[in-house]
Amino acid sequence: MIRVTCLGGAGSVTGSCYLVESPNNQKILVDCGMFQGGRQMEGRNKEAWGFDPKEIETLFLTHAHIDHSGRIPKLVKDGFTGRIITSPPTAELCEIMLLDAAHIQEMDAEWQTRKNKRQAGMDVTPLYTTEDAEASLKLLHPMERDQIITVEPGVKARLRNAGHILGSSILELWVEDGGDALKIVFSGDLGKKEQLIVKDPHEIFNADYLFVESTYGNRRHRTFEESKLELVEAIRYSVAAGEKIIIPAFAVERTQEILYILGEFLRGGLIPNIPIYLDSPLAIKATEIFRKNKKYYDEEARAIVDSGYDPFGMPSLRLTPSTRDSMAINEASGPAIVIAGSGMCTAGRIKHHLKHNLWRPGASIVIVGFQAKGTTGRQIVDGAKQVKIFRENVAVRAKVFTIGGFSAHADQGDLLEWVSHFESNPKVFVVHGEAVASTALAEKIQEKLHLVTHIPVWKERLILKSKELMAEELPVEEEIPDVETAMLNTIIDLENELKALRKKVKSTEVDKDMGEEEIDRLKYIQHELKSVFGS
Ligand SMILES: [Zn+2]
């Protein structure tokens, strides 16, 4: 039997990471993403892996987004030296994204250290460094999609287009279990229908077990055409007022989609020819990778190329990689479109543009991506009258346009349709979603497709069996004894008990009640502990 442990992307949308263990004790990892959103969630990035990175020979990476790739440098830092198998565009995007992520980690640690110093605290070491990111890039093994390869003895795999972002892939994995090969499919992040630039997700018909994402498992997107009209409206609104249109956007995919749409608008005469600033060094580099990888475009994007246009370029586009060029944007008056990161307005150059424009009546803030709770972007979406930027309260007088139809994720309808192609009655694990979204999708899959579903929780270990074994026994999630993990878990529990006990002993109200009998008991426990390993 095969074991899959959900080490991330289970009960949450970030931190994607699944450990697959074969009957021969081969260990394969699917994705190694960063946990994002809030201190508690991000704290998981520092936790122990739950396996030894040295024992992993193969890591499959579904796509370049940081919530799927962002812990790879840490994995390498902790001893991973195997292969990272991924599509060629994902490998290219990883080069810029992992280095950027390492830079952010280093800056954060430096800032924390400086802050701690003022309170005589300790130095903070970054989660990983630029060197760790560089070492990770050496392990990338780009592999074209749609071909089956033998990864290790008894393990075969194939990547398929997931239609989410450039290079994004679904993973088909065959693992030998006795005489049989069990087929497990990991959807990765799936794109929606009409997703710009990339082709629709590949339809798959066969699997014994399916892991499907559920980011928008409870939602239906507004139509894409409606969203485009809203963007035109926002641009026209600020052009009429002689003000700027500020678009916070993620550097990979969303930025390129916005450029693509603006190109369409300009060619169709829907908006006037005003300056369009791409004000993000990372997005500029990412756009270059998109521009190079034409063979992965869908028909519509190819048609633009064939008619002699650059889908991401237009005469009025200005790239501003340097800080000086970026600052000059706010010195220029008159209408202009500014695309900058970060996508949730929490860091980066977008903060400067918000500071200069949020308070200006006639300006537009166009929100085209998901804004997590607690972010500046979310406050703006929720209608805050003023927001704090660089410790300054800035009034919100610009018009805020929240446009929901540009998501790069499949919605409930798209997800159901994609799962409906499976003809083999797979058992479906619904992952990569908040609880409400995963539950809604799981219910729909049961109701409409009559498949057995399960929503794994973080760190849950699943037992996968071949069809024959499944027929003999009911599908089970029961734990098979794993001595090492059980032992480690017990030790952790013990340590926690001891910590609590130490606290109690130190607190005054307890030490009077602590008699010799209790001390004897503790000594007895100590004696017993020693006998566990005969030491
Ligand atoms: Zn993604």
Side-chain angles (χ1 to χ4, degrees):
M1 69 184 70
I2 292 154
R3 288 181 294 184
V4 178
T5 314
C6 304
L7 296 167
S12 71
V13 290
T14 62
S16 268
C17 186
Y18 307 93
L19 173 69
V20 182
E21 292 170 278
S22 79
N24 305 328
N25 219 13
Q26 291 153 304
K27 293 188 171 72
I28 293 155
L29 218 54
V30 180
D31 285 344
C32 190
M34 186 92 89
F35 288 101
Q36 294 168 309
R39 193 186 277 189
Q40 206 181 359
M41 194 55 94
E42 280 162 21
R44 291 183 180 183
N45 292 320
K46 295 181 194 139
E47 277 200 24
W49 291 99
F51 58 86
D52 182 356
K54 290 189 199 81
E55 290 180 359
I56 309 282
E57 282 193 30
T58 310
L59 159 63
F60 290 101
L61 177 60
T62 61
H63 66 290
H65 276 155
I66 285 298
D67 61 325
H68 292 255
S69 68
R71 272 190 298 161
I72 292 176
K74 183 173 188 287
L75 192 73
V76 173
K77 180 184 173 181
D78 293 346
F80 170 72
T81 54
R83 298 188 297 174
I84 305 169
I85 296 180
T86 194
S87 71
T90 305
E92 276 189 66
L93 287 168
C94 272
E95 286 192 21
I96 58 169
M97 294 188 72
L98 295 184
L99 289 173
D100 185 70
H103 181 65
I104 293 171
Q105 293 297 331
E106 288 170 338
M107 301 269 282
D108 276 358
E110 204 183 300
W111 180 82
Q112 269 297 339
T113 301
R114 247 186 288 140
K115 197 174 147 200
N116 283 4
K117 278 225 169 91
R118 291 196 287 270
Q119 296 153 9
M122 281 191 300
D123 283 5
V124 175
T125 46
L127 192 63
Y128 50 80
T129 61
T130 303
E131 284 93 80
D132 300 320
E134 278 164 353
S136 315
L137 302 181
K138 295 203 178 95
L139 304 179
L140 287 165
H141 277 64
M143 177 179 106
E144 286 297 347
R145 293 185 293 214
D146 304 324
Q147 57 190 25
I148 297 182
I149 57 153
T150 302
V151 210
E152 292 175 34
V155 181
K156 290 192 171 76
R158 175 164 59 186
L159 299 177
R160 298 291 210 174
N161 171 44
H164 167 59
I165 68 167
L166 186 76
S168 66
S169 306
I170 298 161
L171 171 67
E172 294 177 288
L173 193 65
W174 291 265
V175 184
E176 260 174 40
D177 183 16
D180 271 353
L182 211 68
K183 183 178 176 189
I184 313 166
V185 171
F186 291 89
S187 74
D189 285 1
L190 288 172
K192 66 170 189 299
K193 283 224 169 130
E194 312 176 304
Q195 182 78 29
L196 294 179
I197 309 162
V198 291
K199 294 172 193 145
D200 284 350
H202 196 101
E203 290 168 8
I204 297 180
F205 306 103
N206 247 298
D208 296 303
Y209 290 93
L210 167 64
F211 287 75
V212 66
E213 70 123 324
S214 57
T215 314
Y216 289 113
N218 57 342
R219 292 248 293 263
R220 297 263 174 182
H221 295 321
R222 247 188 294 175
T223 75
F224 185 52
E225 288 307 315
E226 260 175 68
S227 298
K228 288 208 288 195
L229 288 178
E230 282 177 83
L231 182 56
V232 171
E233 189 197 324
I235 294 168
R236 287 183 180 165
Y237 169 81
S238 288
V239 167
E243 292 290 339
K244 293 194 176 73
I245 299 100
I246 307 296
I247 310 180
F250 298 103
V252 173
E253 191 75 21
R254 192 57 40 87
T255 291
Q256 290 75 31
E257 284 173 13
I258 297 297
L259 289 175
Y260 182 109
I261 294 166
L262 292 176
E264 260 183 17
F265 290 171
L266 281 165
R267 289 193 293 277
L270 284 171
I271 57 169
N273 204 6
I274 56 172
I276 299 170
Y277 294 98
L278 181 52
D279 189 29
S280 154
L282 183 64
I284 292 169
K285 285 185 207 155
T287 306
E288 205 39 56
I289 293 172
F290 272 68
R291 193 172 276 134
K292 264 172 50 191
N293 280 284
K294 294 185 177 61
K295 77 178 210 194
Y296 300 99
Y297 293 176
D298 63 3
E299 261 175 52
E300 290 84 356
R302 281 211 171 221
I304 297 174
V305 176
D306 291 343
S307 57
Y309 291 101
D310 170 2
F312 315 109
M314 49 221 99
S316 51
L317 181 65
R318 293 166 199 190
L319 308 180
T320 51
S322 78
T323 315
R324 205 174 43 176
D325 293 342
S326 171
M327 283 159 74
I329 298 173
N330 286 309
E331 282 153 24
S333 58
I337 298 171
V338 183
I339 306 166
S342 70
M344 297 194 213
C345 312
T346 47
R349 294 182 178 179
I350 193 69
K351 287 173 74 180
H352 294 275
H353 297 301
L354 290 175
K355 187 182 142 190
H356 282 94
N357 292 282
L358 257 183
W359 55 275
R360 295 178 77 94
S364 302
I365 312 298
V366 183
I367 304 286
V368 291
F370 181 74
Q371 306 295 316
K373 267 186 202 156
T375 59
T376 309
R378 179 63 165 263
Q379 290 170 2
I380 294 172
V381 167
D382 287 347
K385 292 269 180 292
Q386 59 176 29
V387 292
K388 206 163 226 163
I389 294 169
F390 298 122
R391 298 206 195 116
E392 210 178 287
N393 284 321
V394 182
V396 183
R397 293 202 199 98
K399 190 161 174 182
V400 178
F401 293 82
T402 306
I403 306 183
F406 293 139
S407 171
H409 278 277
D411 69 3
Q412 190 185 64
D414 298 329
L415 288 166
L416 270 178
E417 198 198 313
W418 185 77
V419 176
S420 77
H421 296 302
F422 285 84
E423 294 163 351
S424 56
N425 278 327
K427 174 157 184 182
V428 184
F429 296 111
V430 181
V431 294
H432 197 283
E434 306 287 351
V436 273
S438 299
T439 309
L441 183 67
E443 280 170 4
K444 283 275 181 239
I445 291 174
Q446 284 170 29
E447 182 194 315
K448 304 249 179 209
L449 308 175
H450 312 292
L451 297 175
V452 177
T453 62
H454 176 68
I455 305 168
V457 294
W458 184 42
K459 290 188 177 174
E460 183 167 340
R461 173 173 288 175
L462 308 160
I463 306 296
L464 277 48
K465 293 178 175 179
S466 65
K467 278 264 147 68
E468 264 173 51
L469 284 169
M470 278 197 274
E472 285 165 25
E473 303 164 44
L474 288 169
V476 273
E477 266 102 54
E478 103 261 10
E479 287 273 291
I480 63 144
D482 171 6
V483 181
E484 192 193 334
T485 311
M487 184 74 91
L488 285 174
N489 286 341
T490 314
I491 293 174
I492 291 169
D493 289 346
L494 260 175
E495 282 169 345
N496 289 336
E497 290 290 335
L498 284 173
K499 255 186 230 160
L501 191 60
R502 187 177 302 141
K503 226 174 164 182
K504 237 179 173 180
V505 172
K506 279 186 176 166
S507 70
T508 45
E509 88 257 27
V510 178
D511 62 0
K512 330 184 194 53
D513 308 333
M514 197 87 175
E516 272 179 34
E517 204 181 323
E518 274 77 8
I519 294 167
D520 272 339
R521 276 190 195 154
L522 280 173
K523 283 190 176 159
Y524 177 71
I525 292 169
Q526 187 192 8
H527 175 80
E528 284 292 295
L529 273 175
K530 278 188 179 164
S531 67
V532 171
F533 280 115
S535 59

